[in-house]
Amino acid sequence: TQLLEQSPQFLSIQEGENLTVYCNSSSVFSSLQWYRQEPGEGPVLLVTVVTGGEVKKLKRLTFQFGDARKDSSLHITAAQPGDTGLYLCRLSDNFNKFYFGSGTKLNVKP
Amino acid sequence: NAGVTQTPKFQVLKTGQSMTLQCAQDMNHEYMSWYRQDPGMGLRLIHYSVGAGITDQGEVPNGYNVSRSTTEDFPLRLLSAAPSQTSVYFCASWDGAFGNTEAFFGQGTRLTVV
């Protein structure tokens, strides 16, 4: 069962462009996390969103949790090559299982 | 502070061989999980544990066994390796049952089954 759908699957942009990636579920969840994974490494936590409608900013990254707590978005302003990586969302099904979405692979070209 | 340590980093197996991927964490986390990541894809949950002596299946458990005799260690056993198990395996640990706790990952084990 795929609890989380991420889109787009791949994104290749030029440095300086803006982008948004999405994480959607058919279920309501209590919280959601975004991770970034660089080649050859494990994922690293970027942010956790908990409250419906919540917006969090991390430098050029803006994370939003949908009002109904079934979706989330990550917006990057003025992308840089250092933003290149695989962006993953993660949630719990409230039964001790933690799932990841399929990921968005971002490539920012200089 | 070592965090989550996985060994080996690379492994090549022949079809039918068995092996154990090791995972150890030094953060006294109750929760540990194994994921596999196929090229260009996200992580799929294989098995997880909510504490010593307690394990359960994830999305793709077939062909894998786990045990959790201590809080620190969570080994993953491949019983009879198959080419379909070629993947990168990640172990993760975190503290608590809530979805808002940070998961810490090892650097992965790249497994090739020929």
Side-chain angles (χ1 to χ4, degrees):
Chain A
T1 302
Q2 183 65 40
L3 290 179
L4 289 172
E5 296 288 341
Q6 287 190 245
S7 61
Q9 190 175 1
F10 300 99
L11 196 54
S12 183
I13 61 172
Q14 292 294 137
E15 181 176 1
E17 292 184 11
N18 301 332
L19 67 115
T20 302
V21 300
Y22 301 92
C23 176
N24 296 288
S25 172
S26 56
S27 303
V28 175
F29 37 87
S30 58
S31 64
L32 181 140
Q33 296 179 320
W34 284 95
Y35 287 75
R36 180 169 68 207
Q37 183 181 23
E38 298 185 14
E41 302 288 334
V44 175
L45 179 67
L46 293 173
V47 79
T48 300
V49 285
V50 178
T51 306
E54 182 177 5
V55 177
K56 281 192 175 179
K57 292 195 175 185
L58 185 67
K59 297 183 180 178
R60 293 175 295 99
L61 279 60
T62 301
F63 304 85
Q64 186 157 7
F65 201 11
D67 290 340
R69 304 211 313 272
K70 296 173 70 173
D71 58 272
S72 180
S73 64
L74 158 59
H75 182 79
I76 301 179
T77 303
Q80 298 177 0
D83 296 326
T84 293
L86 180 67
Y87 289 81
L88 297 156
C89 57
R90 171 184 181 246
L91 63 74
S92 165
D93 69 352
N94 297 322
F95 291 96
N96 298 317
K97 292 184 182 179
F98 292 79
Y99 297 98
F100 282 87
S102 52
T104 293
K105 191 168 185 178
L106 172 65
N107 180 37
V108 182
K109 295 175 282 188
Chain B
N1 188 358
V4 179
T5 302
Q6 288 184 237
T7 56
K9 284 189 168 52
F10 301 94
Q11 182 71 50
V12 179
L13 290 179
K14 293 182 179 178
T15 298
Q17 285 185 316
S18 62
M19 79 159 293
T20 299
L21 308 185
Q22 301 291 345
C23 176
Q25 53 96 3
D26 62 0
M27 296 171 281
N28 202 34
H29 287 165
E30 289 296 319
Y31 284 70
M32 297 185 75
S33 288
W34 276 101
Y35 295 89
R36 61 175 287 175
Q37 186 173 37
D38 298 315
M41 298 189 61
L43 291 89
R44 289 187 291 170
L45 180 65
I46 305 172
H47 286 285
Y48 67 99
S49 169
V50 301
I54 307 170
T55 64
D56 205 346
Q57 296 180 348
E59 302 169 90
V60 288
N62 292 339
Y64 308 95
N65 274 357
V66 292
S67 60
R68 184 99 179 269
S69 56
T70 67
T71 299
E72 293 77 19
D73 299 300
F74 190 43
L76 177 72
R77 297 183 188 85
L78 279 71
L79 308 173
S80 178
S84 61
Q85 293 179 304
T86 294
S87 190
V88 181
Y89 291 84
F90 287 98
C91 177
S93 75
W94 61 94
D95 189 16
F98 302 105
N100 58 353
T101 57
E102 180 178 1
F104 294 87
F105 287 82
Q107 288 201 308
T109 295
R110 186 175 295 274
L111 176 67
T112 302
V113 183
V114 297

